[in-house]
């Protein structure tokens, strides 16, 4: 049976690259999802079209989940580039949720600060130094001017671009993959937000080796699938202090003698990150 890699996922339709040709496939029956980046086996039904029969076991899978369902983003990636920008605006909660999802899926992350050409970016670059101190890799680029700092990180890897709408993922892709010709959107001033220009994930081969997956910008990153242990492990500054709390099972909400809360009170932890941690924890307890 021929096999290949899924390079586009449009609902129940997929493009599969077998190394020579791109075959349009559907999934048989209603079983499980197929994600961009999946390795699959398929049967040809006509020249150029086929049916996916089997999804090979995945190295990893990045997905989000809300109350209703799971939304697959990409499979079998070496890393995720979480793209942020000061324009239209920086959404720290979305960044944190992306970082937590990648950590939970065992996917190394790189924070990409885009739009370095804009004056609004300087303050955000300063703010993100805290993330570097936490151990995250960060590169600043301008999709409009210079992306060389990012190129070195992408070579020979499969990388998925994730982040909010309008941060410039598709513009980065077009710059890095000449001829990709992905649609990019003008930011709607009226809404002061991205417009969700990209609607489906797509994998492109990088000219220097490796692949880049562009994904639709997200408004929310649902994390219903998280366990409490995974949540705590995904915050390095909490993880590092958890053993110092008075209670071994401290949840770092309002317990006395909590080393995490004390660190936050001293200014040794970003209050915004503690707040997102606590709200994620609250949602987990609700959904159980
Ligand atoms: N000044 C500046 N503008 C940029 C840069 N990168 C992207 N833009 C602009 O930002 C807007 C949104 O870019 P897109 O690439 O469509 O953003 P996206 O992240 O793909 O958005 P979605 O597909 O909706 O998720 C466009 O108007 C781009 O021209 C940059 O480095 N500098
Ligand atoms: Mg896009
Ligand atoms: Zn604690």
């Amino acid at each position: 049976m021929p096999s290949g890699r899924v390079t586009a996922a449009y609902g129940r339709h997929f493009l599969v690259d077998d190394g020579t040709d791109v075959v349009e496939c559907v999934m048989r029956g209603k079983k499980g999802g197929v994600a961009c980046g999946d390795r699959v086996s398929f049967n040809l039904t006509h020249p150029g079209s086929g049916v996916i029969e089997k999804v090979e076991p995945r190295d990893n899978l990045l997905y989000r989940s809300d109350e209703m369902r799971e939304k697959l983003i990409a499979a079998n990636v070496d890393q995720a580039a979480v793209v942020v920008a000061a324009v239209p605006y920086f959404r720290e909660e979305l960044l944190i949720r992306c970082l937590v999802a990648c950590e939970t899926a065992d996917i190394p992350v790189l924070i990409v600060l885009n739009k370095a050409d804009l004056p609004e970016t300087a303050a955000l670059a300063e703010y993100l130094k805290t993330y570097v101190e936490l151990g995250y890799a960060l590169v600043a680029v301008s999709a409009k001017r210079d992306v060389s700092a990012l190129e070195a990180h992408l070579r020979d890897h499969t990388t998925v671009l994730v982040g909010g709408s309008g941060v410039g993922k598709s513009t980065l892709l077009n710059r890095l993959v000449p001829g990709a010709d992905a649609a990019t959107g003008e930011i709607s001033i009226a809404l002061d937000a991205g417009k969700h220009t990209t609607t489906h994930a797509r994998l492109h081969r990088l000219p220097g080796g490796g692949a880049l997956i562009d994904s639709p910008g997200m408004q929310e990153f649902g994390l219903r699938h998280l366990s409490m242990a995974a949540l705590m492990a995904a915050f390095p500054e909490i993880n590092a202090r958890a053993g110092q709390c008075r209670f071994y099972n401290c949840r770092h909400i309002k317990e006395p003698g909590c080393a995490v809360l004390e660190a936050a009170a001293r200014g040794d932890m970003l209050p915004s990150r503690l707040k997102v941690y606590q709200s994620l924890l609250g949602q987990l307890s609700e959904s159980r």
Side-chain angles (χ1 to χ4, degrees):
M1 208 189 292
S3 61
R5 192 160 194 203
V6 175
T7 57
Y10 306 99
R12 303 207 63 78
H13 291 259
F14 308 93
L15 296 181
V16 178
D17 184 343
D18 69 1
T20 335
D21 295 310
V22 175
V23 181
E24 272 188 64
C25 288
V26 293
M27 182 76 193
R28 192 184 288 292
K30 282 214 182 298
K31 58 187 175 224
V34 179
C36 192
D38 263 329
R39 289 183 277 266
V40 297
S41 303
F42 59 94
N43 271 320
L44 275 180
T45 45
H46 301 282
S49 48
V51 178
I52 294 175
E53 300 289 349
K54 185 171 175 235
V55 179
E56 299 302 329
R58 294 165 173 141
D59 299 335
N60 54 43
L61 174 68
L62 185 61
Y63 67 102
R64 50 204 181 102
S65 53
D66 54 28
E67 309 90 283
M68 307 299 288
R69 60 196 195 95
E70 290 178 353
K71 292 173 189 145
L72 310 189
I73 301 169
N76 303 316
V77 298
D78 299 311
Q79 62 183 349
V82 182
V83 185
V84 296
V87 177
Y89 44 67
F90 173 54
R91 293 175 55 206
E92 189 172 16
E93 174 157 3
L94 185 59
L95 167 64
I96 296 171
R97 283 171 172 262
C98 288
L99 296 176
V100 168
C102 291
E103 171 73 32
T104 305
D106 224 2
I107 298 170
V109 288
L110 173 66
I111 302 174
V112 177
L113 173 59
N114 188 30
K115 311 198 186 187
D117 56 292
L118 298 179
E120 292 91 333
T121 306
L124 181 54
E126 188 60 34
Y127 184 77
L128 290 175
K129 282 184 179 163
T130 308
Y131 281 80
V132 176
E133 284 160 19
L134 286 170
Y136 293 104
L138 171 77
V139 292
V141 293
S142 164
K144 296 236 157 141
R145 295 207 184 138
D146 184 10
V147 294
S148 49
L150 178 56
E151 259 165 330
H153 288 272
L154 303 181
R155 199 154 300 133
D156 297 329
H157 294 306
T158 297
T159 305
V160 58
L161 295 166
V162 293
S165 183
V167 295
K169 297 179 298 297
S170 301
T171 312
L172 283 167
L173 171 88
N174 285 339
R175 178 84 186 215
L176 292 156
V177 182
D181 204 22
T184 60
E186 286 316 308
I187 290 163
S188 153
I189 309 270
L191 292 170
D192 190 26
K195 277 196 312 190
H196 297 279
T197 306
T198 303
T199 50
H200 297 92
R202 243 190 122 161
L203 180 147
H204 302 261
R205 307 226 162 265
L206 286 160
L212 194 56
I213 300 176
D214 189 15
S215 77
M218 49 209 58
Q219 208 52 46
E220 301 292 336
F221 200 118
L223 289 170
R224 293 275 159 168
H225 56 283
L226 233 57
S227 70
M228 196 184 305
L231 174 61
M232 292 188 183
F235 283 78
E237 69 274 58
I238 292 178
N239 218 7
R241 294 185 174 101
Q244 301 157 27
C245 296
R246 184 177 307 164
F247 302 111
Y248 78 94
N249 58 351
C250 185
R251 290 161 27 122
H252 328 303
I253 301 287
K254 52 174 198 262
E255 295 88 340
C258 171
V260 174
L261 296 178
E262 283 164 9
R266 278 199 309 272
D268 287 346
M269 176 179 180
L270 282 179
S272 49
R273 288 181 49 88
L274 182 61
K275 205 170 138 224
V276 172
Y277 161 79
Q278 290 177 336
S279 89
L280 283 171
L281 189 68
Q283 286 170 18
L284 293 190
S285 323
E286 267 168 41
S287 59
R288 293 287 133 85

